[in-house]
Amino acid sequence: MTMHQNLGDRWPSGMPGMTEPDRRQPAETIIALHCSGADGSQWKKLAAAAGQDIEVITPGLMGSAERPRWTGERKFSLLDEARPIADLIDSLPEPVHLLGHSYGGGVALKVASLRPQRIRSLALYEPSAFSLLHQAGDRHARALDEIEMLASRVGASLCNGSYAEGAGAFVNYWKGEGAWDSLRADVRERLINWLPNASLHFHALIQDGTSLGRYRQMDFPVLLMQGEHARAPSRMIIGLLEGTFPAATAAEIRGAGHMGPVTHADAVNSLTIRHVELASRPVAVIDPLASAA
C-alpha cells in the first residue's frame, strides 16, 4: 500500500512537531518538499500515483499551514529549514529519494549537501537555488538582479503595509500577469498572511553558502525538471546543475510553467516515479570470464 504521510507539525524522534514515520518497510521512500506558499498536500497526487512499494512523506516547511513560523531568535538560513529534514532522513532505516519544487528544491539541495550518503536519488523541479546565480558570475548577473528586484519588492511591501501588492507581485512573477486577480479571495488572503515567509525564503536562498562544486561530489541519479515556460533564472539554475551533477538528466514539461508540479502534476509525477524506479534498480554486474566461456 502506498503511504502518504503529511508530517506537518509532527517531527521525528525527539524533535518538537514531527512524529516518526510509520515503521512498516516499503521498498522505497520519497521525501517530497513543497514550494513556498504551499504545504505538503501539494504532493497528494504523487502519493496516489506512486506504486505499492513506495512511501511518500511530505513534511511541511517552515511557515506552511503545518509548521510554525520562524521564531526570529537569529537570522534565518537555509540550514534552519534543512536540518529537520536531515534529521528525518537519519530516522529512516534506508537511504531516500529526495524531491523538491522551487523553494523546496533549494531546501532539497541543502539537505543533499548535508546527507549525500543518505540520498538514493534527487529530483528537482525548477529549484530556487538563487545563490548559484551569484557564484556563476557576470553571465548570470541579469537573472540574479531579476530575483533580487522581486525580493526587494516583497520586502518593501512588508515594510510599508502594501501586503496585497507584494503577494500579487510574487504570484504574478511565477504564474504570469493576471494570476493574482484570478485567485479566489480566500486564497489571496492566505497568501497575504503567508507573505513574511516569502521574504525569509528569498534571503535564505540568495545568501546560502553551499558551493556549486559541492554537487560534483554527488554521484547519485539526479532528475532536473523545468517547464516549457520557465523563467530565465530557473532555466539558468537548471543549466548550472545539469553541468555539475555527475549523473544528471534534464527534462522539460510541455506547456508548464513554474507551477508545473501542480498544473501538470501527471507529467511531473510520472517522470519522478520513473526516475525513482530506475534509481532503485540494482546494477547488473557482468562476469567477463563467465561471458567469455
Side-chain angles (χ1 to χ4, degrees):
M1 178 179 67
T2 298
M3 290 172 281
H4 173 214
Q5 296 190 32
N6 190 325
L7 297 182
D9 58 356
R10 301 171 297 171
W11 289 92
S13 51
M15 296 194 65
M18 196 184 267
T19 59
E20 294 186 11
D22 191 324
R23 287 304 179 183
R24 288 173 290 177
Q25 298 301 314
E28 303 295 334
T29 298
I30 299 173
I31 294 180
L33 306 180
H34 61 79
C35 67
S36 191
D39 57 34
S41 66
Q42 173 184 324
W43 301 110
K44 61 185 178 181
K45 287 187 177 181
L46 173 65
Q52 62 179 1
D53 292 328
I54 299 176
E55 177 183 22
V56 180
I57 301 176
T58 62
L61 299 177
M62 205 166 291
S64 68
E66 308 141 345
R67 289 277 308 284
R69 292 181 183 232
W70 176 243
T71 53
E73 66 270 19
R74 61 180 182 277
K75 289 183 179 180
F76 179 70
S77 74
L78 213 54
L79 189 59
D80 293 304
E81 192 80 82
R83 273 199 191 107
I85 308 302
D87 290 335
L88 169 60
I89 291 172
D90 288 344
S91 75
L92 298 169
E94 299 291 336
V96 304
H97 304 272
L98 193 57
L99 166 66
H101 168 216
S102 191
Y103 175 64
V107 176
L109 283 166
K110 190 66 174 181
V111 172
S113 76
L114 298 175
R115 296 291 187 275
Q117 74 282 4
R118 298 282 293 152
I119 306 301
R120 186 157 287 162
S121 78
L122 180 64
L124 304 170
Y125 189 99
E126 296 191 17
S128 296
F130 301 134
S131 66
L132 300 184
L133 298 174
H134 178 72
Q135 294 178 41
D138 292 344
R139 62 196 177 96
H140 292 82
R142 182 175 296 180
L144 181 60
D145 287 346
E146 190 173 305
I147 292 299
E148 289 183 329
M149 286 177 62
L150 178 61
S152 296
R153 191 172 178 184
V154 169
S157 74
L158 288 169
C159 291
N160 64 32
S162 59
Y163 307 138
E165 192 277 336
F170 183 90
V171 170
N172 286 342
Y173 178 83
W174 292 116
K175 297 187 70 175
E177 284 301 320
W180 174 253
D181 291 334
S182 70
L183 296 176
R184 299 194 316 267
D186 63 309
V187 176
R188 290 199 298 268
E189 182 179 1
R190 177 175 62 78
L191 289 170
I192 287 170
N193 291 331
W194 157 86
L195 193 64
N197 300 296
S199 192
L200 287 176
H201 294 172
F202 274 126
H203 169 79
L205 292 165
I206 292 171
Q207 298 299 322
D208 182 57
T210 306
S211 70
L212 188 61
R214 177 82 172 106
Y215 305 125
R216 292 193 182 94
Q217 306 167 29
M218 302 178 189
D219 59 358
F220 44 73
V222 177
L223 173 63
L224 301 169
M225 295 174 281
Q226 66 183 19
E228 179 184 359
H229 306 297
R231 304 293 301 242
S234 296
R235 287 188 175 278
M236 290 179 179
I237 291 167
I238 289 288
L240 288 168
L241 292 172
E242 185 181 4
T244 301
F245 278 113
T249 301
E252 184 171 281
I253 309 300
R254 182 176 299 176
H258 187 67
M259 294 305 294
V262 177
T263 61
H264 293 68
D266 289 346
V268 172
N269 294 341
S270 177
L271 279 173
T272 300
I273 292 169
R274 179 62 174 161
H275 168 71
V276 166
E277 290 173 344
L278 290 173
S280 305
R281 290 180 180 176
V283 178
V285 178
I286 300 175
D287 184 341
L289 296 179
S291 59

